[in-house]
Amino acid sequence: MEPVKKEHELIVTVSPHVRDEETTSRIMWTVNLSLLPAFFMGFYFFGLKALFITALCIISSVLSEYFFQKAVKKKLTVNDGSAFLTGLLLGMNLPSSLWSFNPFTIHVPIIGSVIAVVITKQFFGGLGYNIFNPALIGRAFLLISFPKAMTIWTEPTAAFLALDAKTTATPLGILKEDGLAKLIEAFGDKLNLYAELFNGHRAGSIGETSVLALLIGAGFLLYKRYITWHIPFSFLGTVAVLAWIFGGKSPETGKMLLFAGDPLIHLLSGGLMLGAFFMATDYVTCPSVRKGQIVFGIGCGALTMLIRIKGGYPEGVMFAILLMNCFAPLIDRAMKSDVFGAVKEKKK
């Protein structure tokens, strides 16, 4: 039995006081691992172009971090997996059509990677100090700067060695422009539509199409307790409820029909699953308080549906998460837990 320490032998330090064996590097590489099923499905459906674009983003991100830290004589952190993760997420958020020599768009992923790592993360002080999700800022910059190249979607072929592909619209694009009837017609029937959306056989960004693969990775992160249910479930739940209430349209007039929307289509489409489980849960850019995380998720869901229904873009996950990143510190401050043992001052 250890002898009891005297008062002057005790050490008083600031939090955190509870430590375990988890490190930033282990968490980052585990998240990278959890994204592999979705990446492999993207490779399967979109071929070698998907592999090249994702590899280009990863290499550009890691090299950007390495050369920036070398230039400013900071400690090198490329081995912690965060730059690799930024590149992987950015690549999975891009269309495979960017691997093109005519028109030449191969430079686009490189620019996005530099913006994500250098501007969004390193200029703010490195990992842990960035306000916004780096990969999403990189994607937002590319969408604004190269709108045409960023919105050319290819038809999934399930021929993973093919380099040629036909262009097509995403399910959310068809839903927004032509309505639910046209979307169902494009997939044959409603049951087949749900099935194709779930397994990922649809147009979209490289890593966002297969809900099945994303849920496998998300389940692994939940099992490891690297993420909790608070943000993704409140995010998805809000999207489902608002899609049901406001997502319906009259086939004759095109006007909104209340309580006639199809929540399942909105849940399975676009980058919702990738955003809800892998990007909105970013430790640095989301609230740390559990109640605040629920508010954060509800905000992401509400903004996503506002953009999808009323905005100019058919998808809204990226902008919704970035907007809510701005409010994360305020949410934490408003919902912080009471200090144990502290006595609140009475208002005069």
Side-chain angles (χ1 to χ4, degrees):
M1 182 176 176
E2 294 185 3
V4 178
K5 290 186 177 182
K6 297 179 180 178
E7 186 177 352
H8 70 276
E9 294 177 321
L10 298 174
I11 300 173
V12 179
T13 63
V14 296
S15 61
H17 304 295
V18 180
R19 300 176 186 276
D20 60 24
E21 296 179 352
E22 297 294 351
T23 62
T24 300
S25 179
R26 178 181 291 187
I27 293 172
M28 291 296 167
W29 286 115
T30 304
V31 177
N32 282 315
L33 181 66
S34 69
L35 284 165
L36 284 183
F39 166 71
F40 283 131
M41 290 302 285
F43 174 48
Y44 176 73
F45 284 122
F46 299 111
L48 285 174
K49 287 186 172 185
L51 177 64
F52 294 153
I53 289 293
T54 310
L56 192 58
C57 287
I58 293 172
I59 294 170
S60 303
S61 295
V62 173
L63 289 180
S64 297
E65 183 154 293
Y66 175 81
F67 285 117
F68 179 86
Q69 291 178 333
K70 270 284 188 185
V72 299
K73 298 179 180 177
K74 288 180 66 177
K75 180 184 176 183
L76 295 178
T77 58
V78 291
N79 290 329
D80 67 10
S82 62
F84 187 101
L85 179 59
T86 298
L88 178 59
L89 282 171
L90 178 61
M92 293 174 71
N93 273 280
L94 298 181
S96 60
S97 58
L98 285 177
W99 188 264
S100 170
F101 293 92
N102 186 24
F104 188 84
T105 54
I106 295 175
H107 61 294
V108 174
I110 299 174
I111 295 173
S113 301
V114 173
I115 295 292
V117 172
V118 177
I119 306 295
T120 313
K121 192 170 81 171
Q122 292 301 329
F123 275 16
F124 283 83
L127 182 63
Y129 297 96
N130 49 293
I131 302 170
F132 300 101
N133 184 292
L136 287 181
I137 285 289
R139 187 180 188 274
F141 179 85
L142 297 181
L143 185 61
I144 295 168
S145 305
F146 308 96
K148 187 175 180 182
M150 285 289 290
T151 50
I152 296 176
W153 310 102
T154 55
E155 191 174 85
T157 60
F160 54 88
L161 292 179
L163 279 171
D164 297 326
K166 290 190 293 183
T167 59
T168 184
T170 63
L172 285 178
I174 298 173
L175 182 65
K176 191 171 189 66
E177 297 298 328
D178 303 310
L180 179 59
K182 190 71 178 179
L183 179 61
I184 295 173
E185 181 186 333
F187 283 84
D189 57 58
K190 208 166 190 178
L191 190 60
N192 190 54
L193 168 63
Y194 291 148
E196 298 290 62
L197 292 178
F198 186 72
N199 66 35
H201 192 251
R202 62 176 171 90
S205 297
I206 293 169
E208 73 178 21
T209 61
S210 178
V211 173
L212 172 62
L214 288 166
L215 288 179
I216 292 172
F220 177 63
L221 291 182
L222 287 166
Y223 170 73
K224 295 287 290 182
R225 297 185 179 179
Y226 286 170
I227 63 173
T228 64
W229 62 268
H230 301 81
I231 291 178
F233 282 56
S234 56
F235 193 162
L236 299 175
T238 304
V239 166
V241 171
L242 294 181
W244 172 58
I245 297 174
F246 301 109
K249 275 186 180 179
S250 167
E252 291 81 20
T253 64
K255 291 184 178 179
M256 180 185 293
L257 287 178
L258 292 178
F259 304 103
D262 190 324
L264 202 50
I265 290 177
H266 280 277
L267 287 175
L268 300 176
S269 302
L272 184 61
M273 292 294 171
L274 181 61
F277 285 104
F278 294 95
M279 308 191 85
T281 54
D282 178 10
Y283 289 169
V284 180
T285 57
C286 76
S288 57
V289 181
R290 295 290 184 240
K291 288 185 292 185
Q293 290 177 350
I294 294 175
V295 173
F296 183 85
I298 292 172
C300 287
L303 288 171
T304 296
M305 288 311 300
L306 178 65
I307 296 170
R308 282 186 177 185
I309 294 174
K310 291 295 184 182
Y313 289 106
E315 175 60 291
V317 171
M318 174 186 69
F319 290 116
I321 295 174
L322 288 176
L323 285 169
M324 288 307 296
N325 285 162
C326 303
F327 295 103
L330 296 176
I331 294 172
D332 261 342
R333 183 178 300 179
M335 298 193 166
K336 64 182 179 183
S337 303
D338 294 334
V339 177
F340 181 74
V343 179
K344 288 184 178 179
E345 293 184 7
K346 293 182 180 178
K347 293 182 179 179
K348 296 180 180 178

